Amino acid sequence: MVGTVPGTVDRVGFRFYLVKRVINTVILLLFVILLNFVIFELLPGTQGSIANLLENPRLSPQQLQHLEIVYGICSGFDASGKCIPASVWDKFSVYFMRMITFNFGTSQQTGNPVLADIVNTGRLANTLLLLGVSTTIALIIGIFLGVIAAARRGRLFDTGSVVVSLTTFSLPTFFMGIVFILVFSGILNWFPPGGVTPSDWIRGLPPLSVQLLVRLQYLFLPALTLTMFFYGGNLLLTRATMTEALTEDYITTARAKGLPERTVLFKHALKNASLPIVTNAALSFGTILSGAIITETVFNWDGMGSWLFHAIGWHDFPVMQAVFYIIALCVIAANLFSDIIYGMIDPRIKYE
């Protein structure tokens, strides 16, 4: 490690560290594309949607030849118009270009380009809203309660918070969702049982303030379900890292100086115990799409998760391929982001 002033970041070393992480990210992205290619292009049964498309009797010979080239089935045609089968490398080249340009093909469910269904229907925005809100709240609650539990280790609050967090973290999201629908919608009638917005909004939108209020009502139950599921892991991780940090000598010194306990916990201990928490937070945001499938299906929330659930039933491989690829990109980006944050907030990181 290059010598630096304590508490500062070695800029040259950090740049080298960042370049290495970017290179590793690119390599990982290439591996994900290769893995997706093997799953969705080479395994038996995954070419059904393309075969059905090519069997359309309305296609002219020119259109059929064009599609066979686009989907990598044929590398060309001989003088008689006969298809020259594409090699695996030719298929991978076509697939690679489609992935980096986000050209996922056509959905069997809608007949529209997959990318257009993602962007124009609002599914991605709905999922980011639901899981972004729930993940953020779960992180805030989990970290705060984890710090308090570590400070009161062995007391009633610590025991109770651990028991509750383990319970909610262990319960399936579909079970919690059904219970919340039964209690808050069926018995108390406080919130709607599912959907994103009222169906009568199609005829005319109300004022913006009313839209926000009603949207929050539809958002509450699914966001509550995911928050209850996610916060437990954050609490347990924070409690473990904080418990270790509170035994360090610098904490004893800080308390001996007469610093307020809040300052000792949140400014000194939490800062030095933050690396595992940063990793967990980054991965939580990276996997938000994969965590939406069950919850969105239970609450009929029109997002990426419920879309993927229906795509599996339809054997809509272009949609499955697109969603899995986007999930992988989110996880990769989250890992890179956490590595960058590591190097910025902790000078103990070795730039090797």
Side-chain angles (χ1 to χ4, degrees), residues 72 276 283:
L283 292 179

Side-chain angles (χ1 to χ4, degrees), residues 334-352:
N335 274 297
L336 177 61
F337 179 75
S338 65
D339 286 340
I340 295 174
I341 296 298
Y342 269 26
M344 294 176 63
I345 68 175
D346 195 336
R348 297 172 297 177
I349 293 293
K350 292 184 178 181
Y351 304 123
E352 298 175 353

Side-chain angles (χ1 to χ4, degrees), residues 135-158:
T135 304
T136 302
I137 296 176
L139 283 170
I140 295 173
I141 294 177
I143 293 173
F144 179 77
L145 294 182
V147 172
I148 304 302
R152 302 180 181 181
R153 185 179 181 185
R155 301 180 186 177
L156 180 61
F157 180 86
D158 178 34

Side-chain angles (χ1 to χ4, degrees), residues 36-55:
N36 262 18
F37 173 73
V38 173
I39 294 174
F40 291 103
E41 300 292 329
L42 298 185
L43 293 184
T46 58
Q47 295 297 312
S49 59
I50 298 177
N52 293 336
L53 177 63
L54 297 179
E55 290 175 0

Side-chain angles (χ1 to χ4, degrees), residues 153-289:
R153 185 179 181 185
R155 301 180 186 177
L156 180 61
F157 180 86
D158 178 34
T159 304
S161 62
V162 170
V163 170
V164 173
S165 62
L166 284 174
T167 302
T168 58
F169 189 67
S170 302
L171 289 176
T173 53
F174 71 85
F175 176 79
M176 287 193 292
I178 293 174
V179 171
F180 289 152
I181 290 175
L182 176 63
V183 174
F184 291 102
S185 180
I187 298 176
L188 300 177
N189 197 26
W190 288 354
F191 301 98
V196 178
T197 54
S199 58
D200 57 0
W201 280 20
I202 299 175
R203 296 191 295 270
L205 291 178
L208 181 60
S209 58
V210 178
Q211 291 185 44
L212 294 176
L213 180 61
V214 174
R215 190 68 181 269
L216 288 176
Q217 290 180 334
Y218 279 81
L219 176 65
F220 181 83
L221 288 184
L224 176 63
T225 301
L226 288 175
T227 298
M228 294 298 293
F229 180 75
F230 282 126
Y231 100 94
N234 298 317
L235 185 150
L236 295 173
L237 178 62
T238 303
R239 177 183 178 274
T241 56
M242 283 290 296
T243 299
E244 181 179 356
L246 289 174
T247 61
E248 298 292 337
D249 293 338
Y250 66 88
I251 297 297
T252 304
T253 303
R255 285 171 172 164
K257 291 179 178 179
L259 294 178
E261 187 66 14
R262 179 182 301 177
T263 303
V264 173
L265 291 176
F266 290 96
K267 186 175 180 180
H268 294 276
L270 182 59
K271 180 180 180 181
N272 288 277
S274 61
L275 287 186
I277 301 173
V278 168
T279 301
N280 183 65
L283 292 179
S284 296
F285 280 103
T287 56
I288 57 175
L289 293 181

